[in-house]
Amino acid sequence: MTKKKVINSKKAVMIGCGFVGSASVFALMQGGLFTEIVLIDADKNKAEGEAMDISHGIPFASPMKIYAGDYDDVADAAIVVISAGAGQKPGETRLDLVNKNVAIFKSIIPEIAKRNFAGIMLVVANPVDILTQVAIKLSGLPENRVIGSGTVLDSARLRYKLGEHLSVDSRSVHAFIVGEHGDSEVVAWSSANVSGVPLSEICEMRGHYKHKENTAEIAAAVKNSAYEIINKKHATYYGIAMSVKRICEVIMRDEKSILPVSHMIHGVYDIDGVSLSMPAIVGADGIESDIPINLSGEEALKLKESADSLKKIMETIEL
């Protein structure tokens, strides 16, 4: 299959039709990026039911086909999104899911590889950093074409909280969370700004002077928000669905936007051979290049610790 054919493809495949997969397809349907969206699930009835339900909204969106399919459908897809896996339960960390979801990926990824898939693989299932690296190894795809949703959602949560704190539009807030999508994530406060104005400066402009306390409180709220949502409603899916939609937009439109997606890191801040989130230019070919981000000494140290914790887990996984 030629590269040109894949880029011209307007077909997406969602593997896994739980809360996250279904909400993501619903968001993608409204986005009008694709003319075809295929749902695959171990429970074929579930995939068919979700496809039917979401299809009934097409008269209010753009013309497209949404249907349940099988692995043969990945052959000519532009993007395959993998949300299949066990969900995070109350009291469970994302890393607690490792063994269950690695086993699921061992059954899914080889099926995709058999079909000579030539598009972009987007991993959404958790722990996303570990599973992105597992997907790279099992698929044999070039590293740039396997992306994890990473800290795109965490960074959106951060921007939302900062916007709320400062009473400014969150779209004008530029701030990243880097490292693991999980408990060792790092807020890159050093590079955070609002339309180019350093964070500490705009905080004081808006009447906030307790920088240390406020940043610690916001970072904790962002890190714990998934646990809080899971405790209250047993799953998180709308925020991640919008994140999936945004990543797909960037790829399909070849936007070359900068997103903190999970991808293989080589040599950034002394990190090598591990998948985690750092800002990268993303386009039709997946990851184009890393973007240097200014981190303080403490932030860089925490990022290295985050990478080391993920590396240790990877070393325990047999592929």
Side-chain angles (χ1 to χ4, degrees), residues 216-289:
E217 193 179 306
I218 289 167
V222 170
K223 187 167 84 170
N224 295 324
S225 58
Y227 295 125
E228 192 177 343
I229 294 165
I230 288 164
N231 282 333
K232 289 176 185 293
K233 57 172 266 188
H234 308 297
T236 73
Y237 38 93
Y238 295 125
I240 188 62
M242 290 300 286
S243 304
V244 167
K245 176 175 172 275
R246 179 67 191 128
I247 297 166
C248 288
E249 281 173 354
V250 169
I251 294 165
M252 293 304 291
R253 295 173 183 162
D254 195 20
E255 287 186 17
K256 304 188 191 304
S257 291
I258 295 163
L259 297 174
V261 288
S262 187
H263 60 287
M264 282 299 283
I265 302 294
H266 295 290
V268 178
Y269 282 104
D270 202 28
I271 296 165
D272 190 63
V274 63
S275 179
L276 49 70
S277 289
M278 288 294 282
I281 298 173
V282 183
D285 294 325
I287 304 291
E288 286 202 4
S289 68

Side-chain angles (χ1 to χ4, degrees), residues 7-143:
I7 288 174
N8 286 340
S9 170
K10 296 281 188 181
K11 179 180 183 180
V13 174
M14 174 63 70
I15 300 175
C17 299
F19 286 127
V20 171
S22 302
S24 297
V25 172
F26 180 58
L28 291 172
M29 180 270 284
Q30 294 175 80
L33 288 168
F34 301 101
T35 55
E36 218 175 326
I37 306 176
V38 185
L39 284 72
I40 300 174
D41 195 273
D43 180 351
K44 188 77 184 280
N45 280 334
K46 170 76 169 151
E48 287 175 352
E50 294 291 358
M52 285 175 69
D53 194 6
I54 296 167
S55 293
H56 296 161
I58 289 174
F60 307 116
S62 305
M64 68 186 79
K65 291 178 182 174
I66 300 175
Y67 58 94
D70 56 39
Y71 285 106
D72 286 340
D73 287 296
V74 307
D76 60 345
I79 301 175
V80 169
V81 185
I82 307 173
S83 71
Q88 193 177 347
K89 293 175 182 170
E92 195 173 38
T93 70
R94 293 182 184 99
L95 293 179
D96 288 335
L97 299 175
V98 171
N99 293 328
K100 285 187 272 190
N101 286 350
V102 166
I104 291 168
F105 267 50
K106 282 180 179 176
S107 67
I108 291 171
I109 306 297
E111 290 296 329
I112 298 170
K114 277 183 209 169
R115 271 72 179 184
N116 297 319
F117 171 62
I120 306 295
M121 186 181 288
L122 173 57
V123 177
V124 183
N126 279 317
V128 70
D129 305 290
I130 298 292
L131 294 178
T132 299
Q133 197 157 343
V134 166
I136 290 168
K137 290 197 172 190
L138 293 177
S139 69
L141 289 171
E143 289 178 358

